[in-house]
Amino acid sequence: MADTEAYHEYQRIEDADEDSPPGEEDFLVHVPEGLTDSWHHIKNLDNFFTRIYHFHQKNGFACMMLSEFFELVQFLFVVTFTTFLFNCVEYDVLFANRAVNHTGQSVSPLDRNKVTLPDALLSSQQCTQRIQDNTWIICLLIMAAIFWIYRLCKVIYNVLSYWEIRQFYIKALKISMDELCSLSWQEVQQRLISLQREQQMCIHKKELTELDIYHRILRFKNYTVAMVNKSLLPVRLHLPFLGDTIFFTQGLKYNFELILFWGPGSLFQNKWNLHPKYKRTGNRLELARQLSRVILLTGVANLLLCPFVLVWQVLYAFFSYAEVIKREPGSLGARRWSLYGRLYLRHFNELDHELQGRLSRGYKPAAKYMNSFVSPLLTVLAKNMAFFSGSVLAVLIALTVYDEDVLTVQHILTSITVLGLVITISRSFIPDEHMVWCPEQLLQYVLAHIHYMPDHWRGNANKNETRDEMAQLFQYKAVFILEELLSPIITPFILIFLLRSKSLEIIDFFRNFTVEVVGVGDICSFAQMDIRRHGNPQWMSEGQTEASVYQQAENGKTELSLMHFTIKNPHWQPPQDSSVFISHLREKVQQDAQAGPSAQLLLSEAPLCSSILSSESNTGPDNLLASVLAHPVLTASGLPGWNRRFIPPSTTATAAASILASLSASQLPHTPYSSSHVVLPSSHPQQTSTYLSELTAVNSDPRMFCQTNPAVVSEFASAEMSLHAIYMHEVHQQSSQTQPTAGHFQHAVPMRDLRSHIVSGCKTQFTRVPALSVPAPLQLGGWAEEEEDDDEEEMNSIPARNQDTSGS
């Protein structure tokens, strides 16, 4: 790395709020009576705050311990049941390859050769003897027993630890278990901050801030997000016939964390401090060699354990997915956000539930976009395959209805099952001829929720290359299962041959981008969201940042993360440099809003805009985004507005700025943009005046609105961040056109020529389309998957393309 010399020293900085003067770590603290002493001067605040967060997210002590208990039972069941199937079943008898003769006076002649289930089971003595004679089975059982005992000890430790957290919630935070599920994390966090003023959980600071708590919960996660952002982790592979492929699994992620953060030989000496030797530049080469040896040993250990891990993966996948795949074969065609996608799209200082909520809102538009691509050749094959399979299946069903003895014919049930599977899979490739193909608008809608997108996707949403790159973030469930099954085999080679070669870069990264914050410890400097040190001039921080190319976060992650954290935590006081950036952004929004349409006009067009984007939701935030994204299409088309007046053309940036400016005009104190003063877009144009009057009522008593409508406030806070993401990406595109930068991305194609964009972006613009159903990501069990929307119907439709219209 040639640019490391400009930023090579480990740094120690004061907290952003400057509430920890020198010598404060030695002051005496008065502990109020009645509070448990164990909650004063907590040594490991990282674990403490993390457990408080998990306790809230997992709905309390009873739910957590019940889940832990069933995990132990589930592991024991898989091992026991698998051993039983391999050693205690006589399969020759079960498959009728060996005759069974039942004798006795009570047995009829017709039943003497009939196979029963007990006939196929061996006695306990025979079963035990088979297990004892198989050395391989004994070895696996010993390893399974050791792992189960380890898990049991961990569960016992968690029971004791989380019981203490339960007491903390009840006695210190004054939150009962019945009340826990109805409180948001922000409310729990505010009680933590208030408690710090009364009882010093952290003695190095008089007061905690929201950012301090996030830093402790997400210390290692922020490092991982930064390394993915800087393309430091070797997860991109170039494979023959497949090209560039992202391979990032749970096993590979576990090994990365083991090597870098908490394993033996890791870079951290405890949960909150980087080892001092990694903070100095003099011995970087020797440290890189040491890290290379640790990676090599870890890779060899993975190679030795590969057979055992692979057997477990296969068994667990079979027990978890087999029944669901048989019942709903289309579940393998459902999509999920990949593990790499979750890190690529994650903001700095974004908690798990915040990320999950954002990606869940983006699931439907992302699925819509991915299913808008269709292969005409594959469609023809699928239609004919469905026809032939359906014909044969119809005959078999008719014969079965006529005479049920047909089911006794060998392989009839198997044939019916396979034919049904083929029909289901074939229909998933047949598009719905009534759907509208709007790739550019759909991709913009996806961006509104996921907040990050490579520059070269703009203007190329209709190309297969863009879809393939999107598929790396939004993968098939079947691909996820296959990657996890292959992970025990591929992970050792990635560690040994790819990660080792990056040892020196990793050492430089942790030295260059680690800072010490008083009262928090060592954190990733990117997590400070410091515009001056890590801002990008092309993301509205020109003149405010001193960062070199090496120091800049990619894809505007510093700027977008700052806005996201500010909106999610409205009581947080950003440091001076961040406040300057937010003020500059607000001024830019106000300027662009003057050239854009009014907020009332945008909201009045919400129903038509939702129709253009095929949006199923009638909620206010979704209609708000639809009106912003589709308004440039309406104005470019030359159609009159709802009041029969012609509207001058506008851009997405000015439309977003108009809504954001209306929010800024009615903001709460101490918040950059209020999320509680958004006008709810109506489902009908005549109801617009009703919501405009509600805006006046909200402005008259905003605090009362926040208290009585926390769910609505949360939804509109997410919509507000979506508008910021759209607006900042549009402004970035304008900056990229005037100041092109070198890089591996293609030159961004501007989306400013609205009259040509109307033709290329959406091929049947104003057809009222039926509601679009999206395949729901099924909860299949197995590996720990993030929850996604599970109440959507399966979509078998893919938009048909108009062959006579040219592509974008």
Side-chain angles (χ1 to χ4, degrees):
M1 292 185 176
D3 296 327
T4 57
E5 299 300 327
Y7 195 71
H8 65 279
E9 291 297 336
Y10 170 85
Q11 302 173 47
R12 184 178 189 275
I13 66 173
E14 298 296 327
D15 182 72
D17 292 333
E18 299 181 356
D19 56 0
S20 302
E24 182 179 310
E25 59 274 10
D26 298 324
F27 68 79
L28 297 177
V29 179
H30 170 68
V31 182
E33 296 182 2
L35 293 179
T36 306
D37 289 339
S38 60
W39 299 327
H40 163 63
H41 187 194
I42 299 171
K43 183 177 180 180
N44 192 341
L45 278 174
D46 284 32
N47 279 348
F48 185 69
F49 286 150
T50 301
R51 289 182 182 277
I52 290 175
Y53 174 71
H54 288 163
F55 191 90
H56 174 267
Q57 292 299 306
K58 296 181 180 179
N59 302 310
F61 182 81
C63 292
M64 295 185 69
M65 293 307 103
L66 195 62
S67 298
E68 296 265 8
F69 170 75
F70 278 112
E71 284 182 10
L72 287 176
V73 174
Q74 192 179 67
F75 180 83
L76 196 62
F77 170 79
V78 170
V79 173
T80 305
F81 190 49
T82 303
T83 305
F84 171 81
L85 292 176
F86 275 96
N87 297 278
C88 302
V89 178
E90 191 67 51
Y91 288 99
D92 286 338
V93 175
L94 185 65
F95 297 146
N97 294 328
R98 192 172 69 196
V100 175
N101 186 16
H102 296 277
T103 59
Q105 297 179 353
S106 60
V107 179
S108 64
L110 295 177
D111 293 335
R112 287 179 180 177
N113 294 327
K114 187 176 182 180
V115 177
T116 62
L117 188 60
D119 295 333
L121 301 181
L122 299 177
S123 64
S124 58
Q125 294 80 5
Q126 292 175 306
C127 184
T128 304
Q129 186 62 39
R130 278 194 176 188
I131 295 175
Q132 292 176 351
D133 294 341
N134 194 327
T135 307
W136 175 252
I137 292 294
I138 293 177
C139 183
L140 288 176
L141 289 177
I142 292 174
M143 293 193 64
I146 294 174
F147 180 77
W148 190 85
I149 293 173
Y150 162 76
R151 286 288 303 151
L152 178 62
C153 296
K154 191 173 181 180
V155 167
I156 295 174
Y157 173 75
N158 286 338
V159 169
L160 299 176
S161 299
Y162 280 106
W163 180 260
E164 182 70 16
I165 297 298
R166 180 182 182 273
Q167 298 301 106
F168 178 80
Y169 265 89
I170 296 174
K171 296 182 179 179
L173 297 182
K174 310 299 181 184
I175 299 175
S176 65
M177 293 301 98
D178 294 335
E179 185 185 5
L180 179 65
C181 295
S182 62
L183 291 178
S184 66
W185 168 248
Q186 278 69 25
E187 293 173 293
V188 175
Q189 185 174 252
Q190 287 304 313
R191 297 198 186 192
L192 276 175
I193 294 173
S194 300
L195 183 64
Q196 169 68 14
R197 303 188 186 102
E198 302 172 5
Q199 177 178 341
Q200 298 291 327
M201 295 178 290
C202 174
I203 65 169
H204 297 290
K205 302 189 68 175
K206 290 181 179 178
E207 294 188 1
L208 288 175
T209 66
E210 292 86 349
L211 190 59
D212 293 335
I213 297 175
Y214 274 67
H215 278 165
R216 288 190 176 275
I217 297 175
L218 299 170
R219 189 187 303 274
F220 296 152
K221 185 70 70 176
N222 282 327
Y223 274 108
T224 306
V225 172
M227 285 189 286
V228 170
N229 181 256
K230 300 297 289 184
S231 301
L232 185 59
L233 296 179
V235 297
R236 188 177 296 273
L237 309 178
H238 185 76
L239 302 178
F241 307 109
L242 298 178
D244 288 335
T245 304
I246 298 293
F247 185 84
F248 194 47
T249 62
Q250 295 284 356
L252 188 58
K253 176 188 173 186
Y254 178 87
N255 279 276
F256 285 158
E257 294 175 350
L258 178 71
I259 292 170
L260 299 176
F261 301 127
W262 51 267
S266 65
L267 279 61
F268 281 76
Q269 62 180 359
N270 50 46
K271 291 290 186 179
W272 58 90
N273 281 124
L274 189 70
H275 199 285
K277 63 183 179 181
Y278 294 102
K279 302 175 183 179
R280 298 185 291 268
T281 60
N283 56 347
R284 55 193 290 267
L285 296 178
E286 177 61 26
L287 293 176
R289 285 192 288 269
Q290 293 179 12
L291 179 60
S292 178
R293 286 194 293 270
V294 171
I295 296 173
L296 177 61
L297 292 176
T298 306
V300 172
N302 274 268
L303 201 58
L304 296 176
L305 294 174
C306 174
F308 306 100
V309 179
L310 183 61
V311 169
W312 169 254
Q313 294 280 63
V314 172
L315 291 176
Y316 202 61
F318 174 78
F319 288 123
S320 300
Y321 294 96
E323 187 274 334
V324 177
I325 293 174
K326 178 184 179 298
R327 176 166 42 90
E328 297 186 45
S331 61
L332 291 178
R335 289 186 178 269
R336 68 184 301 276
W337 295 103
S338 67
L339 185 60
Y340 171 79
R342 292 178 182 276
L343 290 174
Y344 177 84
L345 300 174
R346 190 168 193 154
H347 294 296
F348 296 122
N349 303 308
E350 185 175 21
L351 293 172
D352 291 341
H353 75 280
E354 296 172 345
L355 174 68
Q356 181 59 39
R358 184 161 60 86
L359 295 184
S360 295
R361 281 185 287 269
Y363 181 87
K364 290 195 289 185
K368 244 183 268 186
Y369 172 75
M370 296 300 292
N371 286 287
S372 66
F373 291 83
V374 59
S375 169
L377 180 61
L378 192 59
T379 300
V380 173
L381 293 176
K383 287 181 178 179
N384 286 274
M385 184 66 68
F387 171 77
F388 294 126
S389 301
S391 300
V392 177
L393 180 62
V395 172
L396 293 179
I397 293 176
L399 292 174
T400 302
V401 172
Y402 177 75
D403 188 350
E404 63 181 9
D405 291 336
V406 175
L407 294 175
T408 62
V409 179
Q410 192 175 20
H411 301 312
I412 283 294
L413 283 176
T414 303
S415 300
I416 293 176
T417 303
V418 171
L419 289 171
L421 179 65
V422 171
I423 293 172
T424 302
I425 295 176
S426 298
R427 285 179 178 175
S428 66
F429 292 100
I430 301 175
D432 184 356
E433 59 184 9
H434 302 294
M435 295 310 300
V436 180
W437 194 56
C438 276
E440 291 292 347
Q441 278 71 35
L442 283 176
L443 195 58
Q444 279 280 78
Y445 204 17
V446 174
L447 173 63
H449 295 291
I450 66 176
H451 299 173
Y452 294 100
M453 188 176 73
D455 292 344
H456 64 269
W457 285 9
R458 290 297 186 91
N460 297 307
N462 63 321
K463 295 186 177 180
N464 288 327
E465 292 80 2
T466 302
R467 179 191 180 278
D468 293 340
E469 292 181 12
M470 180 66 182
Q472 296 174 351
L473 308 179
F474 197 54
Q475 63 183 177
Y476 281 117
K477 188 83 69 174
V479 174
F480 163 75
I481 297 174
L482 180 62
E483 287 183 350
E484 291 294 338
L485 291 176
L486 295 177
S487 179
I489 302 174
I490 300 178
T491 294
F493 297 99
I494 292 180
L495 296 177
I496 296 173
F497 298 106
L498 298 181
L499 187 61
R500 286 181 63 208
S501 62
K502 289 183 172 289
S503 297
L504 184 58
E505 296 179 48
I506 293 173
I507 294 297
D508 289 337
F509 176 87
F510 277 88
R511 184 185 68 255
N512 296 335
F513 299 118
T514 296
V515 294
E516 180 184 357
V517 177
V518 173
V520 177
D522 292 336
I523 64 170
C524 180
S525 60
F526 286 103
Q528 287 290 101
M529 301 174 295
D530 191 339
I531 298 297
R532 181 177 60 85
R533 309 169 86 180
H534 297 300
N536 190 323
Q538 292 191 357
W539 286 88
M540 303 184 66
S541 59
E542 186 174 5
Q544 305 174 43
T545 179
E546 302 172 359
S548 63
V549 175
Y550 174 64
Q551 298 168 335
Q552 295 171 4
E554 307 298 331
N555 302 320
K557 190 170 284 286
T558 300
E559 292 79 4
L560 287 167
S561 297
L562 174 61
M563 293 308 304
H564 178 268
F565 189 84
T566 304
I567 292 172
K568 288 294 183 181
N569 299 273
H571 299 288
W572 177 62
Q573 298 293 331
Q576 181 62 31
D577 293 335
S578 300
S579 298
V580 171
F581 171 79
I582 294 173
S583 299
H584 171 71
L585 175 60
R586 183 186 299 126
E587 293 173 359
K588 176 69 173 172
V589 165
Q590 295 291 347
Q591 293 175 2
D592 288 348
Q594 294 177 1
S598 65
Q600 290 83 354
L601 175 62
L602 289 172
L603 299 178
S604 68
E605 297 172 346
L608 180 57
C609 296
S610 298
S611 174
I612 291 176
L613 293 178
S614 300
S615 177
E616 294 178 338
S617 177
N618 289 324
T619 61
D622 288 337
N623 285 343
L624 184 69
L625 294 176
S627 62
V628 170
L629 294 175
H631 180 77
V633 176
L634 295 178
T635 57
S637 66
L639 293 178
W642 66 274
N643 58 356
R644 301 184 180 277
R645 297 180 181 178
F646 285 91
I647 308 169
S650 63
T651 64
T652 304
T654 57
S658 296
I659 298 295
L660 289 173
S662 66
L663 303 182
S664 179
S666 56
Q667 60 183 324
L668 285 172
H670 310 299
T671 60
Y673 296 98
S674 170
S675 60
S676 61
H677 304 100
V678 187
V679 184
L680 284 165
S682 171
S683 300
H684 304 283
Q686 59 268 26
Q687 296 179 357
T688 303
S689 58
T690 304
Y691 290 103
L692 294 178
S693 62
E694 287 184 3
L695 176 63
T696 305
V698 169
N699 290 337
S700 63
D701 195 356
R703 288 182 176 84
M704 181 62 67
F705 181 81
C706 293
Q707 294 173 1
T708 58
N709 297 273
V712 176
V713 170
S714 176
E715 285 300 312
F716 277 99
S718 300
E720 182 183 350
M721 183 58 214
S722 297
L723 291 171
H724 276 100
I726 295 171
Y727 177 76
M728 293 174 71
H729 272 272
E730 291 292 322
V731 175
H732 167 67
Q733 287 295 313
Q734 296 175 352
S735 176
S736 300
Q737 294 174 36
T738 57
Q739 299 178 4
T741 56
H744 68 279
F745 286 147
Q746 303 172 17
H747 183 70
V749 179
M751 298 176 61
R752 295 301 175 190
D753 188 354
L754 296 174
R755 297 189 181 274
S756 61
H757 177 68
I758 183 69
V759 176
S760 62
C762 190
K763 290 191 176 179
T764 312
Q765 290 291 344
F766 302 105
T767 302
R768 172 71 73 170
V769 297
L772 179 66
S773 59
V774 183
L778 300 174
Q779 283 301 110
L780 301 180
W783 298 282
E785 301 182 34
E786 300 292 337
E787 292 185 359
E788 298 176 286
D789 297 337
D790 57 359
D791 57 347
E792 303 297 329
E793 299 178 356
E794 180 178 349
M795 180 179 71
N796 295 324
S797 59
I798 305 175
R801 304 187 185 185
N802 186 345
Q803 301 297 332
D804 296 330
T805 308
S806 59
S808 297

